[in-house]
Amino acid sequence: QVQVVESGGGLVRPGGSLRLSCTASGIIFRLYTMGWYRQAPGKQRELVAAITAGGSTNYADSVKGRFTISRDNSEKTVYLQMNILKPDDTAVYYCNAARSVLTYWGQGTQVTVSS
């Protein structure tokens, strides 16, 4: 059984930082591309950042220079370090594990940026 579980969300002031974690079990983690997506109220889900099995990364333009994605294959965990947070970053953040036609989602974690 595949499980993808996010943690680390919460309420933070503008300019603050948060680190999200996502642990995936039931898959060969090191073979999967891991991604973070987010969905704000009334908006479509969008890709925030992704990291391939080989370690290549890509980011949405809106988070470049502020967010960093990384992975620890030994812990089967992917991280999203979010710095200089803005109110526009407020959303539910979802973790995704993808390989070929296989894709698995977590349940999401809320991030709220507000003073």
PDB file of all heavy atoms in Angstrom, residues 1-4 23-34 71 76 96-99 102-104:
ATOM      1  N   GLN A   1       0.852  -1.191   0.000  1.00  0.00           N
ATOM      2  CA  GLN A   1       0.000   0.000   0.000  1.00  0.00           C
ATOM      3  C   GLN A   1       0.890   1.245   0.000  1.00  0.00           C
ATOM      4  O   GLN A   1       1.784   1.380   0.827  1.00  0.00           O
ATOM      5  CB  GLN A   1      -0.892   0.013   1.227  1.00  0.00           C
ATOM      6  CG  GLN A   1      -1.825   1.204   1.295  1.00  0.00           C
ATOM      7  CD  GLN A   1      -2.675   1.178   2.554  1.00  0.00           C
ATOM      8  OE1 GLN A   1      -2.619   0.248   3.344  1.00  0.00           O
ATOM      9  NE2 GLN A   1      -3.472   2.208   2.737  1.00  0.00           N
ATOM     10  N   VAL A   2       0.606   2.140  -0.924  1.00  0.00           N
ATOM     11  CA  VAL A   2       1.396   3.354  -1.040  1.00  0.00           C
ATOM     12  C   VAL A   2       0.814   4.436  -0.129  1.00  0.00           C
ATOM     13  O   VAL A   2      -0.398   4.659  -0.113  1.00  0.00           O
ATOM     14  CB  VAL A   2       1.421   3.860  -2.484  1.00  0.00           C
ATOM     15  CG1 VAL A   2       2.202   5.164  -2.575  1.00  0.00           C
ATOM     16  CG2 VAL A   2       2.012   2.807  -3.410  1.00  0.00           C
ATOM     17  N   GLN A   3       1.670   5.080   0.624  1.00  0.00           N
ATOM     18  CA  GLN A   3       1.252   6.207   1.452  1.00  0.00           C
ATOM     19  C   GLN A   3       2.197   7.368   1.227  1.00  0.00           C
ATOM     20  O   GLN A   3       3.421   7.192   1.234  1.00  0.00           O
ATOM     21  CB  GLN A   3       1.247   5.833   2.925  1.00  0.00           C
ATOM     22  CG  GLN A   3       0.086   4.945   3.336  1.00  0.00           C
ATOM     23  CD  GLN A   3      -0.025   4.816   4.843  1.00  0.00           C
ATOM     24  OE1 GLN A   3       0.965   4.564   5.522  1.00  0.00           O
ATOM     25  NE2 GLN A   3      -1.228   4.997   5.358  1.00  0.00           N
ATOM     26  N   VAL A   4       1.610   8.539   1.032  1.00  0.00           N
ATOM     27  CA  VAL A   4       2.365   9.782   0.886  1.00  0.00           C
ATOM     28  C   VAL A   4       1.832  10.733   1.942  1.00  0.00           C
ATOM     29  O   VAL A   4       0.639  11.062   1.927  1.00  0.00           O
ATOM     30  CB  VAL A   4       2.195  10.370  -0.529  1.00  0.00           C
ATOM     31  CG1 VAL A   4       2.956  11.688  -0.649  1.00  0.00           C
ATOM     32  CG2 VAL A   4       2.665   9.376  -1.588  1.00  0.00           C
ATOM     33  N   THR A  23       6.938  12.149   3.376  1.00  0.00           N
ATOM     34  CA  THR A  23       7.488  10.799   3.416  1.00  0.00           C
ATOM     35  C   THR A  23       6.598   9.872   2.600  1.00  0.00           C
ATOM     36  O   THR A  23       5.372   9.891   2.749  1.00  0.00           O
ATOM     37  CB  THR A  23       7.583  10.304   4.859  1.00  0.00           C
ATOM     38  OG1 THR A  23       8.434  11.189   5.598  1.00  0.00           O
ATOM     39  CG2 THR A  23       8.160   8.905   4.923  1.00  0.00           C
ATOM     40  N   ALA A  24       7.216   9.080   1.741  1.00  0.00           N
ATOM     41  CA  ALA A  24       6.475   8.146   0.900  1.00  0.00           C
ATOM     42  C   ALA A  24       6.897   6.725   1.230  1.00  0.00           C
ATOM     43  O   ALA A  24       8.088   6.429   1.282  1.00  0.00           O
ATOM     44  CB  ALA A  24       6.723   8.446  -0.573  1.00  0.00           C
ATOM     45  N   SER A  25       5.921   5.867   1.412  1.00  0.00           N
ATOM     46  CA  SER A  25       6.195   4.459   1.682  1.00  0.00           C
ATOM     47  C   SER A  25       5.439   3.599   0.683  1.00  0.00           C
ATOM     48  O   SER A  25       4.463   4.045   0.073  1.00  0.00           O
ATOM     49  CB  SER A  25       5.795   4.099   3.110  1.00  0.00           C
ATOM     50  OG  SER A  25       4.421   4.337   3.314  1.00  0.00           O
ATOM     51  N   GLY A  26       5.902   2.374   0.526  1.00  0.00           N
ATOM     52  CA  GLY A  26       5.236   1.472  -0.407  1.00  0.00           C
ATOM     53  C   GLY A  26       5.690   1.618  -1.843  1.00  0.00           C
ATOM     54  O   GLY A  26       5.115   0.985  -2.737  1.00  0.00           O
ATOM     55  N   ILE A  27       6.683   2.467  -2.077  1.00  0.00           N
ATOM     56  CA  ILE A  27       7.269   2.640  -3.410  1.00  0.00           C
ATOM     57  C   ILE A  27       8.782   2.574  -3.298  1.00  0.00           C
ATOM     58  O   ILE A  27       9.335   2.715  -2.202  1.00  0.00           O
ATOM     59  CB  ILE A  27       6.865   3.987  -4.052  1.00  0.00           C
ATOM     60  CG1 ILE A  27       7.343   5.171  -3.193  1.00  0.00           C
ATOM     61  CG2 ILE A  27       5.364   4.055  -4.297  1.00  0.00           C
ATOM     62  CD1 ILE A  27       7.155   6.529  -3.853  1.00  0.00           C
ATOM     63  N   ILE A  28       9.439   2.364  -4.442  1.00  0.00           N
ATOM     64  CA  ILE A  28      10.904   2.462  -4.469  1.00  0.00           C
ATOM     65  C   ILE A  28      11.224   3.934  -4.618  1.00  0.00           C
ATOM     66  O   ILE A  28      11.359   4.462  -5.725  1.00  0.00           O
ATOM     67  CB  ILE A  28      11.495   1.618  -5.601  1.00  0.00           C
ATOM     68  CG1 ILE A  28      11.004   0.177  -5.496  1.00  0.00           C
ATOM     69  CG2 ILE A  28      13.031   1.652  -5.542  1.00  0.00           C
ATOM     70  CD1 ILE A  28      11.424  -0.718  -6.646  1.00  0.00           C
ATOM     71  N   PHE A  29      11.329   4.594  -3.505  1.00  0.00           N
ATOM     72  CA  PHE A  29      11.355   6.054  -3.440  1.00  0.00           C
ATOM     73  C   PHE A  29      12.412   6.652  -4.359  1.00  0.00           C
ATOM     74  O   PHE A  29      12.147   7.627  -5.060  1.00  0.00           O
ATOM     75  CB  PHE A  29      11.605   6.488  -1.995  1.00  0.00           C
ATOM     76  CG  PHE A  29      11.641   7.975  -1.792  1.00  0.00           C
ATOM     77  CD1 PHE A  29      10.468   8.680  -1.566  1.00  0.00           C
ATOM     78  CD2 PHE A  29      12.846   8.674  -1.816  1.00  0.00           C
ATOM     79  CE1 PHE A  29      10.488  10.051  -1.373  1.00  0.00           C
ATOM     80  CE2 PHE A  29      12.876  10.047  -1.627  1.00  0.00           C
ATOM     81  CZ  PHE A  29      11.691  10.738  -1.409  1.00  0.00           C
ATOM     82  N   ARG A  30      13.594   6.065  -4.393  1.00  0.00           N
ATOM     83  CA  ARG A  30      14.708   6.665  -5.126  1.00  0.00           C
ATOM     84  C   ARG A  30      14.466   6.711  -6.632  1.00  0.00           C
ATOM     85  O   ARG A  30      15.150   7.455  -7.335  1.00  0.00           O
ATOM     86  CB  ARG A  30      15.994   5.886  -4.831  1.00  0.00           C
ATOM     87  CG  ARG A  30      15.936   4.426  -5.246  1.00  0.00           C
ATOM     88  CD  ARG A  30      17.225   3.693  -4.903  1.00  0.00           C
ATOM     89  NE  ARG A  30      17.105   2.258  -5.139  1.00  0.00           N
ATOM     90  CZ  ARG A  30      17.262   1.694  -6.327  1.00  0.00           C
ATOM     91  NH1 ARG A  30      17.543   2.453  -7.375  1.00  0.00           N
ATOM     92  NH2 ARG A  30      17.139   0.392  -6.471  1.00  0.00           N
ATOM     93  N   LEU A  31      13.497   5.953  -7.118  1.00  0.00           N
ATOM     94  CA  LEU A  31      13.222   5.922  -8.555  1.00  0.00           C
ATOM     95  C   LEU A  31      12.177   6.959  -8.997  1.00  0.00           C
ATOM     96  O   LEU A  31      11.960   7.148 -10.185  1.00  0.00           O
ATOM     97  CB  LEU A  31      12.729   4.530  -8.970  1.00  0.00           C
ATOM     98  CG  LEU A  31      13.701   3.382  -8.751  1.00  0.00           C
ATOM     99  CD1 LEU A  31      13.074   2.072  -9.243  1.00  0.00           C
ATOM    100  CD2 LEU A  31      15.025   3.629  -9.461  1.00  0.00           C
ATOM    101  N   TYR A  32      11.568   7.614  -8.035  1.00  0.00           N
ATOM    102  CA  TYR A  32      10.453   8.503  -8.329  1.00  0.00           C
ATOM    103  C   TYR A  32      10.868   9.968  -8.388  1.00  0.00           C
ATOM    104  O   TYR A  32      11.717  10.422  -7.606  1.00  0.00           O
ATOM    105  CB  TYR A  32       9.364   8.355  -7.271  1.00  0.00           C
ATOM    106  CG  TYR A  32       8.470   7.165  -7.491  1.00  0.00           C
ATOM    107  CD1 TYR A  32       8.952   5.866  -7.345  1.00  0.00           C
ATOM    108  CD2 TYR A  32       7.145   7.334  -7.869  1.00  0.00           C
ATOM    109  CE1 TYR A  32       8.145   4.778  -7.568  1.00  0.00           C
ATOM    110  CE2 TYR A  32       6.312   6.251  -8.088  1.00  0.00           C
ATOM    111  CZ  TYR A  32       6.821   4.977  -7.936  1.00  0.00           C
ATOM    112  OH  TYR A  32       6.008   3.898  -8.154  1.00  0.00           O
ATOM    113  N   THR A  33      10.240  10.692  -9.299  1.00  0.00           N
ATOM    114  CA  THR A  33      10.274  12.148  -9.254  1.00  0.00           C
ATOM    115  C   THR A  33       9.310  12.605  -8.173  1.00  0.00           C
ATOM    116  O   THR A  33       8.157  12.168  -8.141  1.00  0.00           O
ATOM    117  CB  THR A  33       9.864  12.756 -10.602  1.00  0.00           C
ATOM    118  OG1 THR A  33      10.882  12.481 -11.570  1.00  0.00           O
ATOM    119  CG2 THR A  33       9.675  14.259 -10.494  1.00  0.00           C
ATOM    120  N   MET A  34       9.800  13.465  -7.297  1.00  0.00           N
ATOM    121  CA  MET A  34       8.976  13.971  -6.204  1.00  0.00           C
ATOM    122  C   MET A  34       8.677  15.447  -6.457  1.00  0.00           C
ATOM    123  O   MET A  34       9.561  16.228  -6.825  1.00  0.00           O
ATOM    124  CB  MET A  34       9.690  13.811  -4.870  1.00  0.00           C
ATOM    125  CG  MET A  34      10.033  12.367  -4.527  1.00  0.00           C
ATOM    126  SD  MET A  34       8.580  11.305  -4.425  1.00  0.00           S
ATOM    127  CE  MET A  34       7.700  12.051  -3.050  1.00  0.00           C
ATOM    128  N   ARG A  71      15.863  16.087  -1.354  1.00  0.00           N
ATOM    129  CA  ARG A  71      15.371  14.750  -1.021  1.00  0.00           C
ATOM    130  C   ARG A  71      16.435  13.969  -0.271  1.00  0.00           C
ATOM    131  O   ARG A  71      17.639  14.190  -0.471  1.00  0.00           O
ATOM    132  CB  ARG A  71      14.942  13.995  -2.290  1.00  0.00           C
ATOM    133  CG  ARG A  71      16.062  13.673  -3.259  1.00  0.00           C
ATOM    134  CD  ARG A  71      15.487  13.145  -4.590  1.00  0.00           C
ATOM    135  NE  ARG A  71      14.770  11.880  -4.408  1.00  0.00           N
ATOM    136  CZ  ARG A  71      13.878  11.415  -5.279  1.00  0.00           C
ATOM    137  NH1 ARG A  71      13.592  12.097  -6.382  1.00  0.00           N
ATOM    138  NH2 ARG A  71      13.284  10.259  -5.055  1.00  0.00           N
ATOM    139  N   LYS A  76      13.502   8.291   2.633  1.00  0.00           N
ATOM    140  CA  LYS A  76      12.304   8.293   1.780  1.00  0.00           C
ATOM    141  C   LYS A  76      11.495   9.568   1.989  1.00  0.00           C
ATOM    142  O   LYS A  76      10.256   9.529   2.088  1.00  0.00           O
ATOM    143  CB  LYS A  76      11.446   7.045   2.024  1.00  0.00           C
ATOM    144  CG  LYS A  76      12.173   5.744   1.727  1.00  0.00           C
ATOM    145  CD  LYS A  76      11.274   4.543   1.918  1.00  0.00           C
ATOM    146  CE  LYS A  76      12.006   3.256   1.614  1.00  0.00           C
ATOM    147  NZ  LYS A  76      11.150   2.063   1.766  1.00  0.00           N
ATOM    148  N   ASN A  96       3.664  14.948  -4.312  1.00  0.00           N
ATOM    149  CA  ASN A  96       3.365  13.997  -5.384  1.00  0.00           C
ATOM    150  C   ASN A  96       4.583  13.133  -5.655  1.00  0.00           C
ATOM    151  O   ASN A  96       5.707  13.629  -5.715  1.00  0.00           O
ATOM    152  CB  ASN A  96       2.957  14.744  -6.644  1.00  0.00           C
ATOM    153  CG  ASN A  96       2.764  13.829  -7.821  1.00  0.00           C
ATOM    154  OD1 ASN A  96       3.673  13.617  -8.620  1.00  0.00           O
ATOM    155  ND2 ASN A  96       1.570  13.274  -7.934  1.00  0.00           N
ATOM    156  N   ALA A  97       4.329  11.847  -5.858  1.00  0.00           N
ATOM    157  CA  ALA A  97       5.366  10.910  -6.278  1.00  0.00           C
ATOM    158  C   ALA A  97       4.971  10.379  -7.647  1.00  0.00           C
ATOM    159  O   ALA A  97       3.845   9.898  -7.815  1.00  0.00           O
ATOM    160  CB  ALA A  97       5.498   9.766  -5.283  1.00  0.00           C
ATOM    161  N   ALA A  98       5.865  10.492  -8.618  1.00  0.00           N
ATOM    162  CA  ALA A  98       5.514  10.111  -9.984  1.00  0.00           C
ATOM    163  C   ALA A  98       6.638   9.321 -10.642  1.00  0.00           C
ATOM    164  O   ALA A  98       7.820   9.648 -10.499  1.00  0.00           O
ATOM    165  CB  ALA A  98       5.213  11.361 -10.807  1.00  0.00           C
ATOM    166  N   ARG A  99       6.224   8.290 -11.377  1.00  0.00           N
ATOM    167  CA  ARG A  99       7.165   7.514 -12.187  1.00  0.00           C
ATOM    168  C   ARG A  99       6.368   6.882 -13.318  1.00  0.00           C
ATOM    169  O   ARG A  99       5.448   6.112 -13.070  1.00  0.00           O
ATOM    170  CB  ARG A  99       7.865   6.438 -11.370  1.00  0.00           C
ATOM    171  CG  ARG A  99       8.891   5.669 -12.179  1.00  0.00           C
ATOM    172  CD  ARG A  99       9.458   4.515 -11.406  1.00  0.00           C
ATOM    173  NE  ARG A  99      10.460   3.810 -12.197  1.00  0.00           N
ATOM    174  CZ  ARG A  99      10.701   2.515 -12.112  1.00  0.00           C
ATOM    175  NH1 ARG A  99      10.021   1.777 -11.256  1.00  0.00           N
ATOM    176  NH2 ARG A  99      11.632   1.955 -12.861  1.00  0.00           N
ATOM    177  N   LEU A 102       2.594   6.019 -13.145  1.00  0.00           N
ATOM    178  CA  LEU A 102       2.215   5.944 -11.739  1.00  0.00           C
ATOM    179  C   LEU A 102       2.336   7.314 -11.086  1.00  0.00           C
ATOM    180  O   LEU A 102       3.334   8.006 -11.264  1.00  0.00           O
ATOM    181  CB  LEU A 102       3.114   4.947 -11.007  1.00  0.00           C
ATOM    182  CG  LEU A 102       3.099   3.512 -11.509  1.00  0.00           C
ATOM    183  CD1 LEU A 102       4.139   2.680 -10.782  1.00  0.00           C
ATOM    184  CD2 LEU A 102       1.718   2.901 -11.378  1.00  0.00           C
ATOM    185  N   THR A 103       1.329   7.684 -10.326  1.00  0.00           N
ATOM    186  CA  THR A 103       1.375   8.947  -9.601  1.00  0.00           C
ATOM    187  C   THR A 103       0.582   8.804  -8.308  1.00  0.00           C
ATOM    188  O   THR A 103      -0.512   8.232  -8.304  1.00  0.00           O
ATOM    189  CB  THR A 103       0.845  10.115 -10.449  1.00  0.00           C
ATOM    190  OG1 THR A 103       1.010  11.344  -9.731  1.00  0.00           O
ATOM    191  CG2 THR A 103      -0.618   9.930 -10.817  1.00  0.00           C
ATOM    192  N   TYR A 104       1.152   9.311  -7.236  1.00  0.00           N
ATOM    193  CA  TYR A 104       0.525   9.200  -5.926  1.00  0.00           C
ATOM    194  C   TYR A 104       0.554  10.570  -5.250  1.00  0.00           C
ATOM    195  O   TYR A 104       1.543  11.299  -5.356  1.00  0.00           O
ATOM    196  CB  TYR A 104       1.272   8.181  -5.058  1.00  0.00           C
ATOM    197  CG  TYR A 104       1.387   6.817  -5.681  1.00  0.00           C
ATOM    198  CD1 TYR A 104       2.552   6.407  -6.317  1.00  0.00           C
ATOM    199  CD2 TYR A 104       0.312   5.924  -5.644  1.00  0.00           C
ATOM    200  CE1 TYR A 104       2.661   5.160  -6.897  1.00  0.00           C
ATOM    201  CE2 TYR A 104       0.407   4.664  -6.220  1.00  0.00           C
ATOM    202  CZ  TYR A 104       1.589   4.293  -6.850  1.00  0.00           C
ATOM    203  OH  TYR A 104       1.674   3.049  -7.425  1.00  0.00           O
TER     204      TYR A 104
END
